[in-house]
Amino acid sequence: MSKRQVWEVIVPDEDGREYVYRMDTLPLMSERTVGHQMWLKHCRDGGDADPRFVKAARLHVEEVSV
């Protein structure tokens, strides 16, 4: 069995809207790393956000069979 974390990341954009993403990660990833990765994805997809205001919260950890 392996574990994975499910995160919810909120990226406030310069246009005044908040974008909410869900992300599955390996157990060793930190809140800061997850938030930074989603900020990079958001900006690559055409968004304009300040990384200082990105918030990531772990929703839960799941057991998965490999």
Short mmCIF file of all heavy atoms in Angstrom, two decimals:
data_model
loop_
_atom_site.label_atom_id
_atom_site.label_comp_id
_atom_site.label_asym_id
_atom_site.label_seq_id
_atom_site.Cartn_x
_atom_site.Cartn_y
_atom_site.Cartn_z
N MET A 1 0.84 -1.18 0.00
CA MET A 1 0.00 0.00 0.00
C MET A 1 0.89 1.25 0.00
O MET A 1 1.94 1.27 0.59
CB MET A 1 -0.88 0.03 1.24
CG MET A 1 -1.90 -1.09 1.33
SD MET A 1 -3.16 -1.01 0.10
CE MET A 1 -4.30 0.07 0.87
N SER A 2 0.39 2.23 -0.66
CA SER A 2 1.08 3.50 -0.75
C SER A 2 0.12 4.59 -0.31
O SER A 2 -1.09 4.39 -0.28
CB SER A 2 1.53 3.73 -2.19
OG SER A 2 2.19 4.95 -2.31
N LYS A 3 0.65 5.74 0.03
CA LYS A 3 -0.20 6.85 0.45
C LYS A 3 -0.11 7.98 -0.55
O LYS A 3 0.91 8.17 -1.22
CB LYS A 3 0.24 7.37 1.81
CG LYS A 3 -0.02 6.42 2.94
CD LYS A 3 0.34 7.05 4.25
CE LYS A 3 0.07 6.07 5.38
NZ LYS A 3 0.40 6.64 6.68
N ARG A 4 -1.19 8.74 -0.65
CA ARG A 4 -1.17 9.97 -1.43
C ARG A 4 -1.95 11.03 -0.66
O ARG A 4 -2.87 10.72 0.09
CB ARG A 4 -1.76 9.77 -2.82
CG ARG A 4 -3.23 9.53 -2.82
CD ARG A 4 -3.78 9.41 -4.21
NE ARG A 4 -5.22 9.27 -4.12
CZ ARG A 4 -6.05 9.73 -5.01
NH1 ARG A 4 -5.61 10.32 -6.08
NH2 ARG A 4 -7.34 9.57 -4.85
N GLN A 5 -1.56 12.27 -0.87
CA GLN A 5 -2.24 13.38 -0.22
C GLN A 5 -3.11 14.09 -1.25
O GLN A 5 -2.74 14.20 -2.41
CB GLN A 5 -1.22 14.39 0.31
CG GLN A 5 -0.32 13.84 1.36
CD GLN A 5 0.63 14.88 1.88
OE1 GLN A 5 0.28 16.04 2.02
NE2 GLN A 5 1.85 14.49 2.16
N VAL A 6 -4.25 14.56 -0.81
CA VAL A 6 -5.13 15.35 -1.67
C VAL A 6 -5.15 16.77 -1.09
O VAL A 6 -5.43 16.96 0.09
CB VAL A 6 -6.55 14.77 -1.72
CG1 VAL A 6 -7.45 15.62 -2.60
CG2 VAL A 6 -6.51 13.34 -2.23
N TRP A 7 -4.80 17.73 -1.94
CA TRP A 7 -4.70 19.13 -1.54
C TRP A 7 -5.73 19.97 -2.27
O TRP A 7 -6.10 19.68 -3.40
CB TRP A 7 -3.33 19.69 -1.91
CG TRP A 7 -2.19 19.09 -1.18
CD1 TRP A 7 -1.54 17.92 -1.49
CD2 TRP A 7 -1.53 19.61 -0.03
NE1 TRP A 7 -0.52 17.70 -0.60
CE2 TRP A 7 -0.49 18.73 0.30
CE3 TRP A 7 -1.71 20.74 0.75
CZ2 TRP A 7 0.36 18.95 1.38
CZ3 TRP A 7 -0.85 20.96 1.81
CH2 TRP A 7 0.17 20.07 2.13
N GLU A 8 -6.16 21.04 -1.62
CA GLU A 8 -6.96 22.08 -2.27
C GLU A 8 -6.11 23.34 -2.25
O GLU A 8 -5.61 23.74 -1.19
CB GLU A 8 -8.27 22.30 -1.53
CG GLU A 8 -9.16 23.32 -2.22
CD GLU A 8 -10.52 23.40 -1.56
OE1 GLU A 8 -10.62 24.14 -0.58
OE2 GLU A 8 -11.44 22.73 -2.04
N VAL A 9 -5.93 23.95 -3.42
CA VAL A 9 -5.07 25.13 -3.54
C VAL A 9 -5.92 26.28 -4.07
O VAL A 9 -6.60 26.14 -5.09
CB VAL A 9 -3.89 24.86 -4.49
CG1 VAL A 9 -2.96 26.06 -4.53
CG2 VAL A 9 -3.12 23.62 -4.05
N ILE A 10 -5.87 27.41 -3.37
CA ILE A 10 -6.60 28.61 -3.78
C ILE A 10 -5.60 29.62 -4.32
O ILE A 10 -4.66 30.00 -3.63
CB ILE A 10 -7.39 29.21 -2.61
CG1 ILE A 10 -8.40 28.17 -2.10
CG2 ILE A 10 -8.08 30.50 -3.04
CD1 ILE A 10 -9.10 28.58 -0.84
N VAL A 11 -5.81 30.03 -5.58
CA VAL A 11 -4.92 31.00 -6.24
C VAL A 11 -5.74 32.25 -6.54
O VAL A 11 -6.57 32.26 -7.44
CB VAL A 11 -4.34 30.41 -7.55
CG1 VAL A 11 -3.41 31.42 -8.21
CG2 VAL A 11 -3.62 29.11 -7.29
N PRO A 12 -5.51 33.34 -5.77
CA PRO A 12 -6.20 34.60 -6.07
C PRO A 12 -5.53 35.29 -7.25
O PRO A 12 -4.34 35.59 -7.21
CB PRO A 12 -6.07 35.41 -4.79
CG PRO A 12 -4.91 34.83 -4.06
CD PRO A 12 -4.72 33.42 -4.55
N ASP A 13 -6.29 35.53 -8.32
CA ASP A 13 -5.74 36.12 -9.53
C ASP A 13 -5.83 37.64 -9.47
O ASP A 13 -6.62 38.20 -8.71
CB ASP A 13 -6.52 35.59 -10.74
CG ASP A 13 -5.76 35.77 -12.04
OD1 ASP A 13 -5.90 36.82 -12.68
OD2 ASP A 13 -5.02 34.83 -12.39
N GLU A 14 -5.03 38.29 -10.28
CA GLU A 14 -5.04 39.75 -10.36
C GLU A 14 -6.36 40.29 -10.90
O GLU A 14 -6.66 41.46 -10.72
CB GLU A 14 -3.88 40.24 -11.22
CG GLU A 14 -2.50 39.95 -10.64
CD GLU A 14 -2.23 40.68 -9.33
OE1 GLU A 14 -2.68 41.82 -9.17
OE2 GLU A 14 -1.58 40.08 -8.46
N ASP A 15 -7.16 39.45 -11.55
CA ASP A 15 -8.45 39.90 -12.07
C ASP A 15 -9.54 39.92 -11.00
O ASP A 15 -10.70 40.23 -11.28
CB ASP A 15 -8.89 39.04 -13.26
CG ASP A 15 -9.15 37.58 -12.90
OD1 ASP A 15 -9.09 37.23 -11.71
OD2 ASP A 15 -9.40 36.79 -13.82
N GLY A 16 -9.18 39.60 -9.76
CA GLY A 16 -10.11 39.66 -8.64
C GLY A 16 -10.82 38.36 -8.34
O GLY A 16 -11.56 38.27 -7.36
N ARG A 17 -10.62 37.33 -9.15
CA ARG A 17 -11.27 36.03 -8.91
C ARG A 17 -10.30 35.09 -8.19
O ARG A 17 -9.10 35.24 -8.28
CB ARG A 17 -11.72 35.40 -10.21
CG ARG A 17 -12.80 36.21 -10.90
CD ARG A 17 -13.37 35.49 -12.08
NE ARG A 17 -12.37 35.46 -13.15
CZ ARG A 17 -12.57 34.87 -14.31
NH1 ARG A 17 -13.68 34.24 -14.56
NH2 ARG A 17 -11.63 34.90 -15.22
N GLU A 18 -10.87 34.12 -7.50
CA GLU A 18 -10.07 33.06 -6.87
C GLU A 18 -10.28 31.77 -7.64
O GLU A 18 -11.42 31.39 -7.92
CB GLU A 18 -10.48 32.86 -5.42
CG GLU A 18 -10.04 33.96 -4.50
CD GLU A 18 -10.31 33.64 -3.05
OE1 GLU A 18 -11.14 32.75 -2.75
OE2 GLU A 18 -9.69 34.29 -2.21
N TYR A 19 -9.20 31.10 -7.97
CA TYR A 19 -9.24 29.83 -8.68
C TYR A 19 -8.91 28.73 -7.68
O TYR A 19 -7.95 28.84 -6.93
CB TYR A 19 -8.25 29.83 -9.84
CG TYR A 19 -8.63 30.82 -10.91
CD1 TYR A 19 -8.28 32.16 -10.81
CD2 TYR A 19 -9.36 30.42 -12.02
CE1 TYR A 19 -8.64 33.07 -11.79
CE2 TYR A 19 -9.72 31.32 -13.01
CZ TYR A 19 -9.36 32.65 -12.88
OH TYR A 19 -9.73 33.53 -13.84
N VAL A 20 -9.72 27.68 -7.67
CA VAL A 20 -9.53 26.57 -6.73
C VAL A 20 -9.13 25.34 -7.52
O VAL A 20 -9.79 24.95 -8.48
CB VAL A 20 -10.82 26.30 -5.92
CG1 VAL A 20 -10.60 25.14 -4.97
CG2 VAL A 20 -11.24 27.55 -5.17
N TYR A 21 -8.03 24.75 -7.12
CA TYR A 21 -7.51 23.54 -7.77
C TYR A 21 -7.44 22.42 -6.74
O TYR A 21 -7.24 22.66 -5.56
CB TYR A 21 -6.10 23.77 -8.32
CG TYR A 21 -6.00 24.84 -9.37
CD1 TYR A 21 -5.64 26.13 -9.04
CD2 TYR A 21 -6.23 24.54 -10.71
CE1 TYR A 21 -5.52 27.13 -10.01
CE2 TYR A 21 -6.12 25.52 -11.68
CZ TYR A 21 -5.76 26.80 -11.33
OH TYR A 21 -5.65 27.77 -12.29
N ARG A 22 -7.57 21.19 -7.20
CA ARG A 22 -7.33 20.01 -6.35
C ARG A 22 -6.13 19.28 -6.95
O ARG A 22 -6.01 19.16 -8.16
CB ARG A 22 -8.53 19.08 -6.35
CG ARG A 22 -9.65 19.69 -5.57
CD ARG A 22 -10.39 18.69 -4.80
NE ARG A 22 -11.40 19.41 -4.01
CZ ARG A 22 -12.12 18.84 -3.13
NH1 ARG A 22 -11.99 17.56 -2.90
NH2 ARG A 22 -12.99 19.53 -2.44
N MET A 23 -5.28 18.78 -6.08
CA MET A 23 -4.03 18.17 -6.52
C MET A 23 -3.74 16.93 -5.68
O MET A 23 -3.86 16.98 -4.46
CB MET A 23 -2.92 19.20 -6.38
CG MET A 23 -1.57 18.76 -6.80
SD MET A 23 -0.43 20.15 -6.58
CE MET A 23 1.03 19.45 -7.31
N ASP A 24 -3.36 15.84 -6.33
CA ASP A 24 -2.90 14.63 -5.64
C ASP A 24 -1.39 14.64 -5.66
O ASP A 24 -0.78 14.90 -6.70
CB ASP A 24 -3.38 13.37 -6.36
CG ASP A 24 -4.89 13.22 -6.34
OD1 ASP A 24 -5.54 13.89 -5.52
OD2 ASP A 24 -5.41 12.44 -7.13
N THR A 25 -0.78 14.35 -4.51
CA THR A 25 0.68 14.36 -4.43
C THR A 25 1.18 13.16 -3.64
O THR A 25 0.41 12.46 -2.98
CB THR A 25 1.20 15.63 -3.73
OG1 THR A 25 0.82 15.60 -2.35
CG2 THR A 25 0.68 16.89 -4.38
N LEU A 26 2.48 13.00 -3.66
CA LEU A 26 3.14 12.03 -2.80
C LEU A 26 3.16 12.58 -1.37
O LEU A 26 3.08 13.79 -1.17
CB LEU A 26 4.56 11.79 -3.29
CG LEU A 26 4.68 11.19 -4.69
CD1 LEU A 26 6.13 11.17 -5.13
CD2 LEU A 26 4.08 9.80 -4.72
N PRO A 27 3.28 11.72 -0.37
CA PRO A 27 3.20 12.16 1.03
C PRO A 27 4.29 13.14 1.47
O PRO A 27 4.10 13.85 2.43
CB PRO A 27 3.31 10.87 1.83
CG PRO A 27 2.97 9.78 0.89
CD PRO A 27 3.33 10.26 -0.47
N LEU A 28 5.40 13.20 0.78
CA LEU A 28 6.50 14.03 1.25
C LEU A 28 6.41 15.50 0.83
O LEU A 28 7.24 16.30 1.24
CB LEU A 28 7.84 13.45 0.76
CG LEU A 28 8.15 12.05 1.26
CD1 LEU A 28 9.43 11.54 0.63
CD2 LEU A 28 8.25 12.03 2.77
N MET A 29 5.42 15.86 0.05
CA MET A 29 5.33 17.23 -0.44
C MET A 29 4.77 18.16 0.63
O MET A 29 3.82 17.82 1.33
CB MET A 29 4.50 17.30 -1.71
CG MET A 29 5.17 16.51 -2.83
SD MET A 29 4.48 16.80 -4.43
CE MET A 29 4.88 18.48 -4.72
N SER A 30 5.37 19.34 0.73
CA SER A 30 4.94 20.31 1.74
C SER A 30 3.89 21.26 1.18
O SER A 30 3.68 21.36 -0.02
CB SER A 30 6.14 21.12 2.21
OG SER A 30 6.58 21.99 1.17
N GLU A 31 3.26 22.00 2.07
CA GLU A 31 2.25 22.98 1.70
C GLU A 31 2.84 24.03 0.75
O GLU A 31 2.22 24.41 -0.24
CB GLU A 31 1.72 23.65 2.96
CG GLU A 31 0.73 24.75 2.74
CD GLU A 31 0.29 25.38 4.04
OE1 GLU A 31 0.48 24.79 5.11
OE2 GLU A 31 -0.24 26.49 3.97
N ARG A 32 4.03 24.48 1.06
CA ARG A 32 4.68 25.50 0.23
C ARG A 32 4.98 24.98 -1.18
O ARG A 32 4.76 25.67 -2.18
CB ARG A 32 5.96 25.96 0.90
CG ARG A 32 6.66 27.04 0.16
CD ARG A 32 7.85 27.53 0.93
NE ARG A 32 8.51 28.57 0.16
CZ ARG A 32 9.53 29.25 0.59
NH1 ARG A 32 10.02 29.01 1.77
NH2 ARG A 32 10.08 30.17 -0.16
N THR A 33 5.47 23.76 -1.28
CA THR A 33 5.79 23.17 -2.58
C THR A 33 4.54 22.98 -3.42
O THR A 33 4.52 23.30 -4.61
CB THR A 33 6.50 21.82 -2.39
OG1 THR A 33 7.69 22.03 -1.63
CG2 THR A 33 6.86 21.19 -3.71
N VAL A 34 3.47 22.49 -2.81
CA VAL A 34 2.22 22.27 -3.53
C VAL A 34 1.67 23.60 -4.02
O VAL A 34 1.26 23.74 -5.18
CB VAL A 34 1.20 21.54 -2.63
CG1 VAL A 34 -0.18 21.53 -3.26
CG2 VAL A 34 1.66 20.13 -2.34
N GLY A 35 1.65 24.61 -3.17
CA GLY A 35 1.17 25.93 -3.56
C GLY A 35 1.97 26.52 -4.70
O GLY A 35 1.42 27.09 -5.64
N HIS A 36 3.29 26.38 -4.63
CA HIS A 36 4.16 26.91 -5.68
C HIS A 36 3.92 26.21 -7.02
O HIS A 36 3.88 26.85 -8.07
CB HIS A 36 5.62 26.80 -5.26
CG HIS A 36 6.56 27.45 -6.21
ND1 HIS A 36 6.69 28.82 -6.28
CD2 HIS A 36 7.40 26.94 -7.13
CE1 HIS A 36 7.58 29.11 -7.22
NE2 HIS A 36 8.02 27.99 -7.74
N GLN A 37 3.74 24.90 -6.99
CA GLN A 37 3.49 24.16 -8.23
C GLN A 37 2.18 24.58 -8.89
O GLN A 37 2.11 24.74 -10.10
CB GLN A 37 3.48 22.66 -7.97
CG GLN A 37 4.85 22.09 -7.76
CD GLN A 37 4.83 20.59 -7.64
OE1 GLN A 37 3.78 19.98 -7.43
NE2 GLN A 37 5.98 19.97 -7.79
N MET A 38 1.13 24.80 -8.08
CA MET A 38 -0.14 25.22 -8.66
C MET A 38 -0.06 26.66 -9.16
O MET A 38 -0.68 27.00 -10.15
CB MET A 38 -1.27 25.06 -7.65
CG MET A 38 -1.67 23.63 -7.41
SD MET A 38 -1.80 22.59 -8.88
CE MET A 38 -3.26 23.15 -9.65
N TRP A 39 0.69 27.50 -8.48
CA TRP A 39 0.89 28.88 -8.95
C TRP A 39 1.58 28.85 -10.32
O TRP A 39 1.18 29.56 -11.24
CB TRP A 39 1.71 29.67 -7.95
CG TRP A 39 2.19 30.98 -8.47
CD1 TRP A 39 1.44 32.11 -8.65
CD2 TRP A 39 3.51 31.30 -8.92
NE1 TRP A 39 2.21 33.11 -9.17
CE2 TRP A 39 3.49 32.63 -9.34
CE3 TRP A 39 4.69 30.58 -9.00
CZ2 TRP A 39 4.62 33.26 -9.84
CZ3 TRP A 39 5.80 31.22 -9.49
CH2 TRP A 39 5.78 32.54 -9.90
N LEU A 40 2.61 28.01 -10.47
CA LEU A 40 3.30 27.90 -11.76
C LEU A 40 2.34 27.42 -12.85
O LEU A 40 2.32 27.96 -13.96
CB LEU A 40 4.48 26.93 -11.66
CG LEU A 40 5.70 27.43 -10.92
CD1 LEU A 40 6.70 26.30 -10.74
CD2 LEU A 40 6.33 28.59 -11.67
N LYS A 41 1.53 26.41 -12.55
CA LYS A 41 0.57 25.90 -13.53
C LYS A 41 -0.43 26.99 -13.91
O LYS A 41 -0.74 27.19 -15.08
CB LYS A 41 -0.17 24.68 -12.99
CG LYS A 41 -1.19 24.13 -13.98
CD LYS A 41 -2.09 23.11 -13.34
CE LYS A 41 -3.13 22.55 -14.27
NZ LYS A 41 -3.73 23.45 -15.19
N HIS A 42 -0.93 27.71 -12.91
CA HIS A 42 -1.90 28.77 -13.16
C HIS A 42 -1.32 29.85 -14.09
O HIS A 42 -1.97 30.28 -15.03
CB HIS A 42 -2.32 29.40 -11.82
CG HIS A 42 -3.31 30.50 -11.94
ND1 HIS A 42 -4.64 30.27 -12.18
CD2 HIS A 42 -3.16 31.85 -11.87
CE1 HIS A 42 -5.27 31.42 -12.24
NE2 HIS A 42 -4.40 32.40 -12.05
N CYS A 43 -0.08 30.24 -13.85
CA CYS A 43 0.56 31.26 -14.67
C CYS A 43 0.88 30.74 -16.08
O CYS A 43 0.73 31.47 -17.06
CB CYS A 43 1.82 31.78 -13.99
SG CYS A 43 1.45 32.75 -12.51
N ARG A 44 1.29 29.48 -16.20
CA ARG A 44 1.53 28.90 -17.52
C ARG A 44 0.25 28.82 -18.35
O ARG A 44 0.30 28.90 -19.57
CB ARG A 44 2.13 27.50 -17.39
CG ARG A 44 3.65 27.51 -17.31
CD ARG A 44 4.12 26.11 -17.29
NE ARG A 44 3.80 25.62 -15.94
CZ ARG A 44 4.14 24.48 -15.43
NH1 ARG A 44 4.82 23.63 -16.14
NH2 ARG A 44 3.84 24.15 -14.22
N ASP A 45 -0.88 28.67 -17.66
CA ASP A 45 -2.17 28.59 -18.35
C ASP A 45 -2.75 29.98 -18.65
O ASP A 45 -3.90 30.08 -19.07
CB ASP A 45 -3.17 27.78 -17.53
CG ASP A 45 -2.81 26.31 -17.47
OD1 ASP A 45 -1.97 25.86 -18.28
OD2 ASP A 45 -3.37 25.60 -16.61
N GLY A 46 -1.98 31.03 -18.41
CA GLY A 46 -2.41 32.38 -18.76
C GLY A 46 -2.87 33.24 -17.60
O GLY A 46 -3.26 34.38 -17.80
N GLY A 47 -2.83 32.73 -16.40
CA GLY A 47 -3.25 33.50 -15.23
C GLY A 47 -2.17 34.46 -14.79
O GLY A 47 -1.01 34.37 -15.20
N ASP A 48 -2.54 35.40 -13.94
CA ASP A 48 -1.60 36.37 -13.40
C ASP A 48 -1.85 36.47 -11.90
O ASP A 48 -2.81 37.11 -11.47
CB ASP A 48 -1.80 37.73 -14.07
CG ASP A 48 -0.78 38.75 -13.61
OD1 ASP A 48 0.28 38.36 -13.10
OD2 ASP A 48 -1.06 39.96 -13.76
N ALA A 49 -1.02 35.80 -11.11
CA ALA A 49 -1.23 35.75 -9.67
C ALA A 49 0.07 36.02 -8.94
O ALA A 49 1.16 35.82 -9.46
CB ALA A 49 -1.78 34.39 -9.27
N ASP A 50 -0.06 36.49 -7.71
CA ASP A 50 1.09 36.73 -6.84
C ASP A 50 1.29 35.48 -5.97
O ASP A 50 0.38 35.09 -5.24
CB ASP A 50 0.81 37.95 -5.96
CG ASP A 50 2.01 38.40 -5.17
OD1 ASP A 50 2.91 37.57 -4.88
OD2 ASP A 50 2.06 39.59 -4.83
N PRO A 51 2.47 34.87 -6.04
CA PRO A 51 2.67 33.62 -5.29
C PRO A 51 2.58 33.78 -3.77
O PRO A 51 2.34 32.81 -3.06
CB PRO A 51 4.07 33.16 -5.72
CG PRO A 51 4.75 34.40 -6.18
CD PRO A 51 3.67 35.26 -6.76
N ARG A 52 2.72 34.99 -3.27
CA ARG A 52 2.65 35.21 -1.81
C ARG A 52 1.26 34.96 -1.25
O ARG A 52 1.10 34.73 -0.06
CB ARG A 52 3.08 36.63 -1.46
CG ARG A 52 4.54 36.91 -1.81
CD ARG A 52 4.87 38.34 -1.56
NE ARG A 52 4.06 39.16 -2.46
CZ ARG A 52 3.88 40.47 -2.31
NH1 ARG A 52 4.43 41.10 -1.29
NH2 ARG A 52 3.15 41.15 -3.17
N PHE A 53 0.23 35.03 -2.11
CA PHE A 53 -1.15 34.91 -1.63
C PHE A 53 -1.78 33.56 -1.93
O PHE A 53 -2.97 33.36 -1.66
CB PHE A 53 -2.00 36.04 -2.22
CG PHE A 53 -1.46 37.40 -1.88
CD1 PHE A 53 -1.03 38.25 -2.87
CD2 PHE A 53 -1.35 37.81 -0.57
CE1 PHE A 53 -0.52 39.50 -2.57
CE2 PHE A 53 -0.84 39.05 -0.24
CZ PHE A 53 -0.42 39.90 -1.24
N VAL A 54 -1.01 32.62 -2.46
CA VAL A 54 -1.51 31.28 -2.76
C VAL A 54 -1.61 30.49 -1.45
O VAL A 54 -0.70 30.52 -0.63
CB VAL A 54 -0.59 30.57 -3.76
CG1 VAL A 54 -1.01 29.12 -3.96
CG2 VAL A 54 -0.57 31.32 -5.09
N LYS A 55 -2.74 29.82 -1.26
CA LYS A 55 -2.94 29.03 -0.05
C LYS A 55 -3.22 27.58 -0.43
O LYS A 55 -4.05 27.30 -1.29
CB LYS A 55 -4.12 29.59 0.74
CG LYS A 55 -3.86 30.96 1.32
CD LYS A 55 -5.04 31.41 2.14
CE LYS A 55 -4.79 32.69 2.88
NZ LYS A 55 -4.46 33.83 2.10
N ALA A 56 -2.54 26.67 0.25
CA ALA A 56 -2.75 25.24 0.03
C ALA A 56 -3.16 24.60 1.35
O ALA A 56 -2.62 24.92 2.40
CB ALA A 56 -1.47 24.59 -0.49
N ALA A 57 -4.14 23.71 1.28
CA ALA A 57 -4.60 22.99 2.47
C ALA A 57 -4.75 21.52 2.13
O ALA A 57 -5.36 21.16 1.13
CB ALA A 57 -5.93 23.56 2.94
N ARG A 58 -4.18 20.67 2.98
CA ARG A 58 -4.30 19.22 2.77
C ARG A 58 -5.70 18.81 3.20
O ARG A 58 -6.14 19.07 4.31
CB ARG A 58 -3.25 18.48 3.59
CG ARG A 58 -3.31 17.00 3.38
CD ARG A 58 -2.20 16.23 4.08
NE ARG A 58 -1.78 16.80 5.32
CZ ARG A 58 -0.50 17.12 5.60
NH1 ARG A 58 0.44 16.93 4.71
NH2 ARG A 58 -0.18 17.64 6.76
N LEU A 59 -6.41 18.17 2.28
CA LEU A 59 -7.77 17.71 2.59
C LEU A 59 -7.74 16.38 3.31
O LEU A 59 -8.43 16.19 4.31
CB LEU A 59 -8.59 17.60 1.31
CG LEU A 59 -8.82 18.91 0.56
CD1 LEU A 59 -9.58 18.66 -0.72
CD2 LEU A 59 -9.55 19.90 1.44
N HIS A 60 -6.97 15.42 2.78
CA HIS A 60 -6.86 14.13 3.43
C HIS A 60 -5.73 13.30 2.80
O HIS A 60 -5.20 13.65 1.76
CB HIS A 60 -8.18 13.35 3.38
CG HIS A 60 -8.69 13.10 2.01
ND1 HIS A 60 -9.39 14.02 1.29
CD2 HIS A 60 -8.59 12.01 1.19
CE1 HIS A 60 -9.71 13.52 0.11
NE2 HIS A 60 -9.24 12.31 0.03
N VAL A 61 -5.39 12.23 3.49
CA VAL A 61 -4.39 11.29 3.01
C VAL A 61 -5.11 9.98 2.72
O VAL A 61 -5.92 9.52 3.54
CB VAL A 61 -3.29 11.05 4.06
CG1 VAL A 61 -2.30 10.02 3.59
CG2 VAL A 61 -2.58 12.36 4.40
N GLU A 62 -4.87 9.41 1.55
CA GLU A 62 -5.52 8.18 1.14
C GLU A 62 -4.51 7.06 0.99
O GLU A 62 -3.39 7.27 0.58
CB GLU A 62 -6.23 8.37 -0.20
CG GLU A 62 -7.36 9.35 -0.18
CD GLU A 62 -8.00 9.51 -1.56
OE1 GLU A 62 -7.47 8.98 -2.55
OE2 GLU A 62 -9.03 10.18 -1.62
N GLU A 63 -4.97 5.85 1.31
CA GLU A 63 -4.19 4.64 1.05
C GLU A 63 -4.56 4.15 -0.35
O GLU A 63 -5.75 4.05 -0.67
CB GLU A 63 -4.50 3.56 2.07
CG GLU A 63 -4.12 3.88 3.48
CD GLU A 63 -2.65 3.64 3.75
OE1 GLU A 63 -2.02 2.87 3.00
OE2 GLU A 63 -2.15 4.21 4.73
N VAL A 64 -3.57 3.89 -1.17
CA VAL A 64 -3.84 3.36 -2.52
C VAL A 64 -3.02 2.11 -2.73
O VAL A 64 -1.91 1.98 -2.25
CB VAL A 64 -3.52 4.41 -3.61
CG1 VAL A 64 -4.48 5.56 -3.56
CG2 VAL A 64 -2.10 4.91 -3.51
N SER A 65 -3.58 1.16 -3.45
CA SER A 65 -2.83 -0.07 -3.75
C SER A 65 -2.10 0.13 -5.07
O SER A 65 -2.62 0.73 -6.00
CB SER A 65 -3.77 -1.25 -3.82
OG SER A 65 -4.74 -1.03 -4.80
N VAL A 66 -0.90 -0.37 -5.12
CA VAL A 66 -0.07 -0.21 -6.31
C VAL A 66 -0.08 -1.47 -7.13
O VAL A 66 -0.17 -2.54 -6.69
CB VAL A 66 1.36 0.15 -5.90
CG1 VAL A 66 2.21 0.36 -7.13
CG2 VAL A 66 1.37 1.37 -5.04
#
